[in-house]
Amino acid sequence: MNGNNEPIIHIENIHKRFGKVHALRGVSLRIQKGEVVVIVGPSGSGKSTLLRCINRLEEYNSGKIVVDGIPLDSAQNINAVRQEIGMVFQSFNLFSHMTVMDNLVLAQKIIRKRSKDEAHKVALDLLKKVGIPEKINAYPSQISGGQQQRVAIARALAMNPRIMLFDEPTSALDPEMIKEVLDVMMALAKEGMTMVVVSHEMGFARAAANRIIFMDEGQIIEEAPPDQLFSNPRHERTKRFLSKVLDH
Amino acid sequence: MLTSRRLETSDSALKNIPGAEPHSRLDPWWWLVVLVAGIIAILSITRPDPYWRIILFVRDGIGVTAIITVVSFILMLFVGMLGGLGRISKNKAINLITTLYVELVRGVPLLVQLIWWYFAFPVVIQQIGRWTGISFLAAYRANALVLAIFGFVFCYGAYMSEIFRAGIQSIPKGQMEAARSLGMNYFQSMRHVILPQAIRVILPPVGNEFIALLKDSSLVSAVALADLTRRGKEFMSANFNPIETWTMVALIYLVMTLFSARIVNYIERRTKFER
């Protein structure tokens, strides 16, 4: 351990196959505490798969991932790591049989062993933070997609994670709801949360990211700070991709 | 002020979404239960001989039928849940055993299974007891009620496993992923997230199984249990009035199944929720 230089997420030479498809081909990545990393790339490039490997929702065939000093190798370690990582999904995945409040309280009680009052207080504070304290007793089906995604972010934050993973958090949202979710993410980034975001929101990437990772065909092609990557990409494939997503 | 008013109206509108009506309202099919119960009452009052005599004679049989049905049903819920979890298990051994169980049980008629448990199983136990020299196994005597319930649980448990499997698999994968990503283990996720949602999907077919079981319980009359059907047979052979006896037995079954169907319907409506 060499103090502050030790990355909070250390990915080394990950390979992942889905049957015949070689989804990740030797990906290595180090992410420092407090960094905001946005992963971009065409669909099928393996960016979501890589993100899901970090909390082992996806098993990988070979390679090594160490999160906050804990290697992802035993069931016990995987659960320990998951408790330190919050995950936000494209399809929100709120527990549909529970109210917003119960969604936020459940894991706090089971995993963090918080009392009911304490968990409620944490939940309410977070709902205020994401701007929807009035929806506390609503069911997921009764609120909009943008509100559901903000609740999902609050649910992940209620576990006091050290890292947040976002898997295309705005892709399932109507255009007018995207901003409310991105605002919450932006606020988180400013607070110094370590974030790994898979997204097509280039505006967010430009404004919030310390680093952009461009992936294609299961490999990291290029990584650079946003200014550099957007204005001066080095690789031909990066140029082609950016010309498609930026020119409109 | 204006926004809060609008919120209130939208909230009250949400309470009236279809299927989530106040559950105190009885559904109209209750009148059918009342009608059949009424026919039984009228028959026993206007012609106490033989109808009221039949009811008095088969009364204990109704109790046996009810006990077999209710006890078997409760036990088969557990078997079904374990079987369902086994069928979706990634553990190859567990998966193989439960799949084998379901496939074998579904291929043998229920009546044959009940007869096997009652007539063959005790002999198997006695043989094992003799070979191994364990005396209490060798002296094993069949208890008709226990073996009948065992037979039903074993058979219906297989069908129930399939219902649980389908119910659990109908819950979107993201629900499990969200639960796991919060640090819950497999069983915590199942218990708090997946099963509570699956129950609502499972409820209608499980209710149907209860009613099917109630009717199938008449098969135990073949294995020396004095259930409603068996008692009917006994009354008939003593009095030689097949029309009255079997009409009354049929009406008693009918009132029990119709009543059960209404209860199932009531529970379904109460647990309905919008996804």
Side-chain angles (χ1 to χ4, degrees), chain B residues 64-88:
Chain B
V64 171
T65 293
I67 285 170
I68 290 174
T69 307
V70 171
V71 174
S72 303
F73 181 72
I74 291 166
L75 292 176
M76 73 183 54
L77 286 177
F78 289 102
V79 174
M81 194 170 80
L82 291 178
L85 290 174
R87 289 275 279 151
I88 56 169

PDB file of all heavy atoms in Angstrom, chain B residues 64-88:
ATOM      1  N   VAL B  64     -63.019 -34.538   7.541  1.00  0.00           N
ATOM      2  CA  VAL B  64     -61.811 -35.209   7.035  1.00  0.00           C
ATOM      3  C   VAL B  64     -61.356 -34.565   5.727  1.00  0.00           C
ATOM      4  O   VAL B  64     -60.177 -34.256   5.543  1.00  0.00           O
ATOM      5  CB  VAL B  64     -62.075 -36.726   6.825  1.00  0.00           C
ATOM      6  CG1 VAL B  64     -60.911 -37.383   6.092  1.00  0.00           C
ATOM      7  CG2 VAL B  64     -62.305 -37.410   8.171  1.00  0.00           C
ATOM      8  N   THR B  65     -62.318 -34.329   4.815  1.00  0.00           N
ATOM      9  CA  THR B  65     -61.993 -33.673   3.550  1.00  0.00           C
ATOM     10  C   THR B  65     -61.335 -32.307   3.791  1.00  0.00           C
ATOM     11  O   THR B  65     -60.313 -31.973   3.175  1.00  0.00           O
ATOM     12  CB  THR B  65     -63.271 -33.498   2.701  1.00  0.00           C
ATOM     13  OG1 THR B  65     -63.725 -34.793   2.304  1.00  0.00           O
ATOM     14  CG2 THR B  65     -63.016 -32.659   1.464  1.00  0.00           C
ATOM     15  N   ALA B  66     -61.910 -31.533   4.728  1.00  0.00           N
ATOM     16  CA  ALA B  66     -61.372 -30.198   4.999  1.00  0.00           C
ATOM     17  C   ALA B  66     -59.958 -30.282   5.583  1.00  0.00           C
ATOM     18  O   ALA B  66     -59.060 -29.527   5.175  1.00  0.00           O
ATOM     19  CB  ALA B  66     -62.300 -29.441   5.957  1.00  0.00           C
ATOM     20  N   ILE B  67     -59.744 -31.218   6.514  1.00  0.00           N
ATOM     21  CA  ILE B  67     -58.421 -31.345   7.149  1.00  0.00           C
ATOM     22  C   ILE B  67     -57.370 -31.733   6.116  1.00  0.00           C
ATOM     23  O   ILE B  67     -56.302 -31.108   6.027  1.00  0.00           O
ATOM     24  CB  ILE B  67     -58.462 -32.391   8.288  1.00  0.00           C
ATOM     25  CG1 ILE B  67     -59.171 -31.778   9.508  1.00  0.00           C
ATOM     26  CG2 ILE B  67     -57.043 -32.826   8.682  1.00  0.00           C
ATOM     27  CD1 ILE B  67     -59.491 -32.780  10.589  1.00  0.00           C
ATOM     28  N   ILE B  68     -57.698 -32.757   5.308  1.00  0.00           N
ATOM     29  CA  ILE B  68     -56.742 -33.192   4.282  1.00  0.00           C
ATOM     30  C   ILE B  68     -56.377 -32.026   3.361  1.00  0.00           C
ATOM     31  O   ILE B  68     -55.211 -31.754   3.085  1.00  0.00           O
ATOM     32  CB  ILE B  68     -57.329 -34.348   3.439  1.00  0.00           C
ATOM     33  CG1 ILE B  68     -57.417 -35.613   4.286  1.00  0.00           C
ATOM     34  CG2 ILE B  68     -56.469 -34.604   2.198  1.00  0.00           C
ATOM     35  CD1 ILE B  68     -58.121 -36.757   3.577  1.00  0.00           C
ATOM     36  N   THR B  69     -57.415 -31.305   2.912  1.00  0.00           N
ATOM     37  CA  THR B  69     -57.185 -30.216   1.962  1.00  0.00           C
ATOM     38  C   THR B  69     -56.333 -29.112   2.570  1.00  0.00           C
ATOM     39  O   THR B  69     -55.320 -28.699   1.991  1.00  0.00           O
ATOM     40  CB  THR B  69     -58.536 -29.630   1.491  1.00  0.00           C
ATOM     41  OG1 THR B  69     -59.349 -30.686   1.005  1.00  0.00           O
ATOM     42  CG2 THR B  69     -58.322 -28.606   0.401  1.00  0.00           C
ATOM     43  N   VAL B  70     -56.716 -28.639   3.751  1.00  0.00           N
ATOM     44  CA  VAL B  70     -56.034 -27.478   4.339  1.00  0.00           C
ATOM     45  C   VAL B  70     -54.601 -27.835   4.745  1.00  0.00           C
ATOM     46  O   VAL B  70     -53.655 -27.109   4.420  1.00  0.00           O
ATOM     47  CB  VAL B  70     -56.829 -26.928   5.541  1.00  0.00           C
ATOM     48  CG1 VAL B  70     -56.024 -25.874   6.282  1.00  0.00           C
ATOM     49  CG2 VAL B  70     -58.162 -26.340   5.054  1.00  0.00           C
ATOM     50  N   VAL B  71     -54.425 -28.977   5.432  1.00  0.00           N
ATOM     51  CA  VAL B  71     -53.084 -29.348   5.883  1.00  0.00           C
ATOM     52  C   VAL B  71     -52.167 -29.598   4.677  1.00  0.00           C
ATOM     53  O   VAL B  71     -51.040 -29.096   4.634  1.00  0.00           O
ATOM     54  CB  VAL B  71     -53.128 -30.591   6.809  1.00  0.00           C
ATOM     55  CG1 VAL B  71     -51.715 -31.050   7.152  1.00  0.00           C
ATOM     56  CG2 VAL B  71     -53.892 -30.278   8.080  1.00  0.00           C
ATOM     57  N   SER B  72     -52.667 -30.365   3.692  1.00  0.00           N
ATOM     58  CA  SER B  72     -51.856 -30.633   2.502  1.00  0.00           C
ATOM     59  C   SER B  72     -51.476 -29.324   1.814  1.00  0.00           C
ATOM     60  O   SER B  72     -50.341 -29.124   1.394  1.00  0.00           O
ATOM     61  CB  SER B  72     -52.615 -31.498   1.499  1.00  0.00           C
ATOM     62  OG  SER B  72     -53.024 -32.689   2.103  1.00  0.00           O
ATOM     63  N   PHE B  73     -52.444 -28.414   1.724  1.00  0.00           N
ATOM     64  CA  PHE B  73     -52.206 -27.157   1.006  1.00  0.00           C
ATOM     65  C   PHE B  73     -51.093 -26.346   1.667  1.00  0.00           C
ATOM     66  O   PHE B  73     -50.182 -25.854   1.003  1.00  0.00           O
ATOM     67  CB  PHE B  73     -53.504 -26.352   0.954  1.00  0.00           C
ATOM     68  CG  PHE B  73     -53.372 -25.058   0.219  1.00  0.00           C
ATOM     69  CD1 PHE B  73     -53.244 -25.047  -1.165  1.00  0.00           C
ATOM     70  CD2 PHE B  73     -53.363 -23.846   0.891  1.00  0.00           C
ATOM     71  CE1 PHE B  73     -53.124 -23.860  -1.860  1.00  0.00           C
ATOM     72  CE2 PHE B  73     -53.235 -22.657   0.209  1.00  0.00           C
ATOM     73  CZ  PHE B  73     -53.114 -22.661  -1.167  1.00  0.00           C
ATOM     74  N   ILE B  74     -51.160 -26.235   3.000  1.00  0.00           N
ATOM     75  CA  ILE B  74     -50.134 -25.452   3.707  1.00  0.00           C
ATOM     76  C   ILE B  74     -48.753 -26.080   3.497  1.00  0.00           C
ATOM     77  O   ILE B  74     -47.782 -25.392   3.183  1.00  0.00           O
ATOM     78  CB  ILE B  74     -50.477 -25.351   5.212  1.00  0.00           C
ATOM     79  CG1 ILE B  74     -51.715 -24.457   5.380  1.00  0.00           C
ATOM     80  CG2 ILE B  74     -49.300 -24.787   6.005  1.00  0.00           C
ATOM     81  CD1 ILE B  74     -52.346 -24.536   6.750  1.00  0.00           C
ATOM     82  N   LEU B  75     -48.682 -27.418   3.640  1.00  0.00           N
ATOM     83  CA  LEU B  75     -47.384 -28.086   3.475  1.00  0.00           C
ATOM     84  C   LEU B  75     -46.881 -27.950   2.033  1.00  0.00           C
ATOM     85  O   LEU B  75     -45.687 -27.748   1.794  1.00  0.00           O
ATOM     86  CB  LEU B  75     -47.501 -29.560   3.858  1.00  0.00           C
ATOM     87  CG  LEU B  75     -47.761 -29.813   5.351  1.00  0.00           C
ATOM     88  CD1 LEU B  75     -47.957 -31.300   5.608  1.00  0.00           C
ATOM     89  CD2 LEU B  75     -46.624 -29.277   6.213  1.00  0.00           C
ATOM     90  N   MET B  76     -47.802 -28.047   1.068  1.00  0.00           N
ATOM     91  CA  MET B  76     -47.341 -28.022  -0.327  1.00  0.00           C
ATOM     92  C   MET B  76     -46.870 -26.628  -0.748  1.00  0.00           C
ATOM     93  O   MET B  76     -46.113 -26.500  -1.711  1.00  0.00           O
ATOM     94  CB  MET B  76     -48.411 -28.571  -1.268  1.00  0.00           C
ATOM     95  CG  MET B  76     -49.582 -27.679  -1.485  1.00  0.00           C
ATOM     96  SD  MET B  76     -50.832 -28.438  -2.544  1.00  0.00           S
ATOM     97  CE  MET B  76     -51.176 -29.996  -1.765  1.00  0.00           C
ATOM     98  N   LEU B  77     -47.277 -25.594  -0.012  1.00  0.00           N
ATOM     99  CA  LEU B  77     -46.739 -24.259  -0.295  1.00  0.00           C
ATOM    100  C   LEU B  77     -45.237 -24.240  -0.026  1.00  0.00           C
ATOM    101  O   LEU B  77     -44.459 -23.669  -0.792  1.00  0.00           O
ATOM    102  CB  LEU B  77     -47.434 -23.201   0.564  1.00  0.00           C
ATOM    103  CG  LEU B  77     -48.861 -22.823   0.161  1.00  0.00           C
ATOM    104  CD1 LEU B  77     -49.440 -21.830   1.144  1.00  0.00           C
ATOM    105  CD2 LEU B  77     -48.898 -22.253  -1.247  1.00  0.00           C
ATOM    106  N   PHE B  78     -44.823 -24.865   1.079  1.00  0.00           N
ATOM    107  CA  PHE B  78     -43.392 -24.925   1.405  1.00  0.00           C
ATOM    108  C   PHE B  78     -42.638 -25.757   0.365  1.00  0.00           C
ATOM    109  O   PHE B  78     -41.584 -25.356  -0.128  1.00  0.00           O
ATOM    110  CB  PHE B  78     -43.173 -25.516   2.803  1.00  0.00           C
ATOM    111  CG  PHE B  78     -43.593 -24.598   3.897  1.00  0.00           C
ATOM    112  CD1 PHE B  78     -44.792 -24.774   4.564  1.00  0.00           C
ATOM    113  CD2 PHE B  78     -42.795 -23.505   4.257  1.00  0.00           C
ATOM    114  CE1 PHE B  78     -45.188 -23.899   5.563  1.00  0.00           C
ATOM    115  CE2 PHE B  78     -43.183 -22.634   5.254  1.00  0.00           C
ATOM    116  CZ  PHE B  78     -44.387 -22.830   5.909  1.00  0.00           C
ATOM    117  N   VAL B  79     -43.212 -26.941   0.048  1.00  0.00           N
ATOM    118  CA  VAL B  79     -42.568 -27.800  -0.953  1.00  0.00           C
ATOM    119  C   VAL B  79     -42.462 -27.057  -2.283  1.00  0.00           C
ATOM    120  O   VAL B  79     -41.421 -27.080  -2.947  1.00  0.00           O
ATOM    121  CB  VAL B  79     -43.360 -29.118  -1.136  1.00  0.00           C
ATOM    122  CG1 VAL B  79     -42.778 -29.942  -2.274  1.00  0.00           C
ATOM    123  CG2 VAL B  79     -43.341 -29.924   0.157  1.00  0.00           C
ATOM    124  N   GLY B  80     -43.540 -26.369  -2.653  1.00  0.00           N
ATOM    125  CA  GLY B  80     -43.550 -25.634  -3.916  1.00  0.00           C
ATOM    126  C   GLY B  80     -42.508 -24.543  -3.950  1.00  0.00           C
ATOM    127  O   GLY B  80     -41.833 -24.331  -4.960  1.00  0.00           O
ATOM    128  N   MET B  81     -42.350 -23.833  -2.817  1.00  0.00           N
ATOM    129  CA  MET B  81     -41.370 -22.752  -2.780  1.00  0.00           C
ATOM    130  C   MET B  81     -39.953 -23.313  -2.907  1.00  0.00           C
ATOM    131  O   MET B  81     -39.149 -22.822  -3.700  1.00  0.00           O
ATOM    132  CB  MET B  81     -41.502 -21.952  -1.494  1.00  0.00           C
ATOM    133  CG  MET B  81     -40.765 -20.639  -1.547  1.00  0.00           C
ATOM    134  SD  MET B  81     -41.161 -19.593  -0.151  1.00  0.00           S
ATOM    135  CE  MET B  81     -40.134 -20.321   1.089  1.00  0.00           C
ATOM    136  N   LEU B  82     -39.668 -24.376  -2.130  1.00  0.00           N
ATOM    137  CA  LEU B  82     -38.338 -25.000  -2.212  1.00  0.00           C
ATOM    138  C   LEU B  82     -38.101 -25.571  -3.604  1.00  0.00           C
ATOM    139  O   LEU B  82     -37.037 -25.386  -4.198  1.00  0.00           O
ATOM    140  CB  LEU B  82     -38.199 -26.097  -1.156  1.00  0.00           C
ATOM    141  CG  LEU B  82     -38.154 -25.607   0.289  1.00  0.00           C
ATOM    142  CD1 LEU B  82     -38.057 -26.785   1.245  1.00  0.00           C
ATOM    143  CD2 LEU B  82     -36.989 -24.654   0.499  1.00  0.00           C
ATOM    144  N   GLY B  83     -39.128 -26.251  -4.140  1.00  0.00           N
ATOM    145  CA  GLY B  83     -39.010 -26.836  -5.473  1.00  0.00           C
ATOM    146  C   GLY B  83     -38.786 -25.765  -6.526  1.00  0.00           C
ATOM    147  O   GLY B  83     -37.959 -25.932  -7.426  1.00  0.00           O
ATOM    148  N   GLY B  84     -39.529 -24.660  -6.411  1.00  0.00           N
ATOM    149  CA  GLY B  84     -39.389 -23.570  -7.370  1.00  0.00           C
ATOM    150  C   GLY B  84     -37.998 -22.967  -7.328  1.00  0.00           C
ATOM    151  O   GLY B  84     -37.367 -22.712  -8.361  1.00  0.00           O
ATOM    152  N   LEU B  85     -37.485 -22.752  -6.094  1.00  0.00           N
ATOM    153  CA  LEU B  85     -36.124 -22.212  -5.955  1.00  0.00           C
ATOM    154  C   LEU B  85     -35.104 -23.203  -6.496  1.00  0.00           C
ATOM    155  O   LEU B  85     -34.116 -22.818  -7.113  1.00  0.00           O
ATOM    156  CB  LEU B  85     -35.819 -21.888  -4.484  1.00  0.00           C
ATOM    157  CG  LEU B  85     -36.576 -20.700  -3.901  1.00  0.00           C
ATOM    158  CD1 LEU B  85     -36.303 -20.561  -2.407  1.00  0.00           C
ATOM    159  CD2 LEU B  85     -36.201 -19.403  -4.609  1.00  0.00           C
ATOM    160  N   GLY B  86     -35.374 -24.503  -6.273  1.00  0.00           N
ATOM    161  CA  GLY B  86     -34.476 -25.544  -6.789  1.00  0.00           C
ATOM    162  C   GLY B  86     -34.444 -25.565  -8.306  1.00  0.00           C
ATOM    163  O   GLY B  86     -33.397 -25.727  -8.915  1.00  0.00           O
ATOM    164  N   ARG B  87     -35.630 -25.359  -8.919  1.00  0.00           N
ATOM    165  CA  ARG B  87     -35.713 -25.393 -10.377  1.00  0.00           C
ATOM    166  C   ARG B  87     -34.949 -24.250 -11.034  1.00  0.00           C
ATOM    167  O   ARG B  87     -34.542 -24.367 -12.181  1.00  0.00           O
ATOM    168  CB  ARG B  87     -37.182 -25.341 -10.815  1.00  0.00           C
ATOM    169  CG  ARG B  87     -37.930 -26.613 -10.511  1.00  0.00           C
ATOM    170  CD  ARG B  87     -37.745 -27.632 -11.617  1.00  0.00           C
ATOM    171  NE  ARG B  87     -38.652 -27.358 -12.731  1.00  0.00           N
ATOM    172  CZ  ARG B  87     -38.367 -27.682 -13.987  1.00  0.00           C
ATOM    173  NH1 ARG B  87     -37.245 -28.254 -14.288  1.00  0.00           N
ATOM    174  NH2 ARG B  87     -39.239 -27.410 -14.930  1.00  0.00           N
ATOM    175  N   ILE B  88     -34.809 -23.100 -10.335  1.00  0.00           N
ATOM    176  CA  ILE B  88     -34.051 -21.993 -10.926  1.00  0.00           C
ATOM    177  C   ILE B  88     -32.627 -21.932 -10.371  1.00  0.00           C
ATOM    178  O   ILE B  88     -31.869 -21.025 -10.703  1.00  0.00           O
ATOM    179  CB  ILE B  88     -34.743 -20.628 -10.698  1.00  0.00           C
ATOM    180  CG1 ILE B  88     -34.973 -20.384  -9.215  1.00  0.00           C
ATOM    181  CG2 ILE B  88     -36.049 -20.547 -11.457  1.00  0.00           C
ATOM    182  CD1 ILE B  88     -35.400 -18.973  -8.907  1.00  0.00           C
TER     183      ILE B  88
END
